[in-house]
Amino acid sequence: MMWYKDAIIYQVHVRAFLDSNGDGTGDFPGLTEKLDYIQELGVNCIWLLPFFPSPLKDDGYDIAKYRRVHPAYGTLTDFRKFVREAHRRDIRVLIELVINHTSDQHRWFQEARRARPHSKARNYYVWSDTDQKYKDAPIIFVDSETSNWTWDPVAKAYYWHRFFRHQPDLNFDNPTVVKEVVEVLHFWLNLGVDGFRLDAVPYLVEREGTKCENLLETHEVLKRIRYEVDAHHREKVLLAEANLWPADVVQYFGNNDECHMAFHFPLMPRMYMAVRKEDRHPVTDILEQTPEIPDGCQWAIFLRNHDELTLEMVTDEEQDYMYKEYAVDPKMRLNRGIRRRLAPLLDNSRRRTELLTSLLFSFRGTPIIYYGDEIGMGDNIYLGDRTGVRTPMQWNSDRNAGFSRADFATLYSPPVMDPIYGYQSVNVEAQQRNPSSLLNWMRQMIVLRKQHPTFGRGTIEFIRPANRKILAYARTYEQNTILCVANLSRFVQPVELDLSAFAGMIPVEMLGKTEFPRIGAQPYFFSLGPHGFYWFELIKR
Ligand code: NOJ
């Protein structure tokens, strides 16, 4: 029951994983070939970036056909085979449901712009004679768009788009659109997928005088989608992409009748802040502001993904801090965020990578690993938009990182080739051979996390030692308690923890199974090495 609570999700771009036919682009047969690797990593769920036919002006988030596979990525048969092979390995598959908008190449848009105003076909999208409506709705891609309206010379009207101008927003006030979307959903669920990441869900419906976000009408659409999922399928999951403050995001869980999961966007930058400031406050503060969520629901937590590291959920001051500490070169900045991968953000520090990963794996929620971060891949900030964090997976030190046998010039993107993060130094094959590689460390942590449902299902309670460089918390589920202690500082730190609530118990360090002295009524003393962290199972004996 509720498998998603125990999941560890691996986010993959089909395009970037393995090119099986030598055309320079990753594809489903390639991904299927690499399922053994994903299985060995230990994750039990894959989230795929969009793989539908698309002009790829937003890397597939501009869908031109909802029920097909992009020809460069393979066929529906290849997709079916991939799902079957994933399931055979007990790996679930989540795909994208991008319904706020389509590509302007979608047949619906092409028909809409040519149709009479207010006709059935025209009403699939949001049109206006002026660009002055919905003025309170912010622009999201501030680096590339100046308005949410674009004039269409064919329709002789403006159409509404919250993202790029080539991504017209569907009109969710039109019941036919809702019906179409529901059919798309059934189509993919019937093919066996285990759920969807719902892209850009806060923006489905527009109303004058509002920011056109999180409207009641939008929640109604989501409730309808959930109803359809529950009525016709079993154990399927909806994951909301809503980049909002915790109090607003929780609305997307509804009363257990909307999304099963939602990303915790505000937590993510605060993990980076806590480590840089060497102070637990950013993390404890945001988690304290996070309301309880219904029983069937779960947070999805992450350190990086395919987009820029978004700073929309921080104050202006915090944003300045993040830019100063994590994006000195203006090239690293995009929209309101930072387009860098995990390892370069952390100056390639193994200790800090392990520390942040240990937090990710032990906080409340289901962790998501972005492909390549398990081997410490780098980025290329000189490629446009967000392509620099979507470069080919680095399999070995052969030509094109072992990703493709195509001529270098035909690759969809060059692999990373710099001396630190390039595929000669950072690749799967080398790390598989080295027992103390990051990859092998990740595997070990994933095994450990999977052994303890407490991580995915338990409560979290912070312990507040006087030393604020220490982040300590107890995770409890049923009769089990896990104590996590992390040193956010780059220097060794002492800490006295009030563990009186656990007096009489014995902490057993979980990686080495080492028993520590029994907890008494007095404060419990630890010293932690630079960026060190411990996970203890508390045992009664
Ligand atoms: C959010 C996705 O994560 C991003 O990659 C995309 O550009 C926008 N939605 C628009 O679909």
Side-chain angles (χ1 to χ4, degrees):
M1 284 285 281
M2 299 193 278
W3 60 268
Y4 46 93
K5 290 200 171 189
D6 305 312
I8 301 180
I9 302 176
Y10 188 62
Q11 183 189 351
V12 192
H13 199 1
V14 179
R15 186 187 202 186
F17 219 54
L18 188 76
D19 168 18
S20 74
N21 61 357
D23 65 357
T25 295
D27 43 43
F28 275 109
L31 181 58
T32 308
E33 203 180 309
K34 287 296 181 187
L35 273 171
D36 287 343
Y37 167 77
I38 295 174
Q39 185 180 23
E40 277 164 31
L41 180 59
V43 298
N44 44 21
C45 182
I46 290 175
W47 153 28
L48 292 180
L49 263 58
F51 52 78
F52 316 95
S54 158
L56 301 180
K57 286 191 188 164
D58 185 8
D59 208 358
Y61 283 94
D62 46 334
I63 297 179
K65 282 187 188 150
Y66 277 108
R67 291 181 177 77
R68 290 278 178 279
V69 171
H70 193 294
Y73 303 161
T75 62
L76 263 183
T77 309
D78 296 331
F79 176 78
R80 271 201 203 96
K81 180 164 181 222
F82 160 73
V83 174
R84 206 168 49 237
E85 286 296 315
H87 285 169
R88 204 164 63 76
R89 293 168 171 81
D90 288 327
I91 298 174
R92 315 248 181 176
V93 178
L94 302 182
I95 66 167
E96 292 275 348
L97 195 65
V98 187
I99 55 174
N100 176 67
H101 47 267
T102 67
S103 158
D104 58 7
Q105 300 306 307
H106 196 289
R107 177 176 56 80
W108 295 340
F109 187 74
Q110 291 304 324
E111 287 176 5
R113 68 199 304 206
R114 292 189 171 83
R116 274 179 301 105
H118 309 296
S119 61
K120 192 166 174 267
R122 177 71 73 106
N123 278 342
Y124 269 56
Y125 294 84
V126 182
W127 301 94
S128 164
D129 293 335
T130 96
D131 57 358
Q132 297 303 307
K133 280 172 81 178
Y134 311 142
K135 277 290 190 197
D136 299 327
I139 293 166
I140 297 168
F141 286 161
V142 285
D143 284 2
S144 26
E145 297 297 341
T146 49
S147 168
N148 287 326
W149 291 107
T150 290
W151 174 255
D152 181 35
V154 178
K156 301 204 170 39
Y158 291 95
Y159 61 90
W160 179 250
H161 55 88
R162 285 308 290 277
F163 294 94
F164 290 121
R165 67 187 60 196
H166 56 75
Q167 287 166 318
D169 277 30
L170 283 167
N171 173 15
F172 279 88
D173 282 324
N174 177 353
T176 316
V177 167
V178 178
K179 211 172 130 243
E180 294 269 18
V181 161
V182 164
E183 276 167 24
V184 169
L185 178 138
H186 287 311
F187 175 82
W188 290 102
L189 289 177
N190 289 338
L191 276 184
V193 307
D194 299 286
F196 302 98
R197 171 194 184 263
L198 301 178
D199 184 67
V201 277
Y203 318 114
L204 299 184
V205 179
E206 302 73 32
R207 288 291 177 267
E208 199 53 79
T210 74
K211 287 174 82 183
C212 300
E213 295 177 5
N214 312 322
L215 299 180
L216 213 73
E217 293 84 344
T218 291
H219 286 288
E220 289 305 318
V221 174
L222 292 172
K223 285 187 168 51
R224 166 79 195 283
I225 288 180
R226 171 64 179 266
Y227 170 82
E228 290 288 337
V229 170
D230 287 352
H232 301 277
H233 311 271
R234 290 191 50 216
E235 296 200 11
K236 306 291 181 180
V237 165
L238 299 173
L239 163 56
E241 190 226 5
N243 191 352
L244 300 167
W245 293 100
D248 297 322
V249 190
V250 291
Q251 297 169 17
Y252 288 83
F253 295 121
N255 195 4
N256 226 347
D257 57 358
E258 272 187 44
C259 299
H260 305 77
M261 290 207 275
F263 292 102
H264 201 313
F265 275 100
L267 172 62
M268 180 273 301
R270 286 173 178 79
M271 293 169 76
Y272 291 92
M273 270 160 46
V275 171
R276 201 60 142 214
K277 289 190 164 160
E278 308 201 342
D279 186 329
R280 66 176 181 246
H281 184 258
V283 164
T284 50
D285 185 46
I286 199 71
L287 288 177
E288 254 155 24
Q289 289 176 40
T290 303
E292 280 300 310
I293 58 178
D295 236 11
C297 298
Q298 174 81 330
W299 291 108
I301 55 180
F302 61 101
L303 292 168
R304 284 301 293 117
N305 61 24
H306 63 297
D307 288 328
E308 67 276 24
L309 186 167
T310 166
L311 298 175
E312 268 165 306
M313 290 305 123
V314 299
T315 62
D316 288 348
E317 221 172 286
E318 290 168 330
Q319 179 184 311
D320 290 347
Y321 179 79
M322 285 295 287
Y323 276 148
K324 182 163 75 62
E325 296 299 329
Y326 286 107
V328 267
D329 184 337
K331 274 256 171 232
M332 295 168 174
R333 304 175 190 184
L334 180 72
N335 300 317
R336 241 194 118 165
I338 303 175
R339 48 171 164 189
R340 301 182 76 194
R341 262 188 182 268
L342 182 63
L345 279 166
L346 304 178
D347 305 327
N348 211 20
S349 156
R350 173 77 180 262
R351 272 188 189 155
R352 264 180 282 160
T353 306
E354 290 188 3
L355 173 64
L356 276 177
T357 306
S358 83
L359 300 182
L360 179 74
F361 284 174
S362 61
F363 280 168
R364 217 173 177 184
T366 290
I368 302 174
I369 302 167
Y370 185 50
Y371 86 91
D373 284 349
E374 75 275 22
I375 54 169
M377 255 169 68
D379 50 44
N380 181 350
I381 54 169
Y382 300 98
L383 298 174
D385 200 0
R386 291 149 291 175
T387 342
V389 298
R390 303 177 185 177
T391 55
M393 182 68 179
Q394 296 171 194
W395 295 107
N396 55 42
S397 58
D398 292 351
R399 177 160 59 104
N400 304 330
F403 159 75
S404 169
R405 299 195 49 76
D407 286 342
F408 177 79
T410 62
L411 299 183
Y412 80 90
S413 151
V416 172
M417 290 182 289
D418 66 63
I420 296 180
Y421 304 102
Y423 61 87
Q424 307 274 2
S425 19
V426 176
N427 66 65
V428 169
E429 193 180 289
Q431 295 200 19
Q432 277 171 334
R433 290 194 192 142
N434 175 6
S436 51
S437 63
L438 179 62
L439 176 62
N440 280 318
W441 180 85
M442 289 285 277
R443 283 180 178 157
Q444 208 181 341
M445 295 303 281
I446 292 172
V447 167
L448 194 54
R449 176 169 164 125
K450 282 200 301 191
Q451 284 168 355
H452 299 271
T454 306
F455 287 121
R457 295 178 181 247
T459 56
I460 187 165
E461 231 161 297
F462 288 101
I463 302 162
R464 290 161 201 288
N467 184 350
R468 288 192 16 172
K469 296 182 191 311
I470 301 296
L471 177 61
Y473 43 100
R475 303 290 324 271
T476 304
Y477 178 61
E478 295 174 341
Q479 305 312 314
N480 306 308
T481 297
I482 293 173
L483 170 69
C484 305
V485 191
N487 176 9
L488 301 170
S489 162
R490 62 202 191 282
F491 302 113
V492 67
Q493 294 293 325
V495 65
E496 284 191 349
L497 286 185
D498 176 3
L499 297 182
S500 50
F502 308 108
M505 300 181 96
I506 298 173
V508 179
E509 198 281 326
M510 291 165 71
L511 275 170
K513 306 250 181 291
T514 310
E515 281 196 15
F516 271 53
R518 193 183 294 275
I519 300 169
Q522 297 305 310
Y524 201 95
F525 179 80
F526 289 107
S527 58
L528 288 103
H531 292 139
F533 68 90
Y534 301 137
W535 291 355
F536 296 105
E537 224 182 329
L538 300 186
I539 308 278
K540 281 199 188 101
R541 201 184 314 119

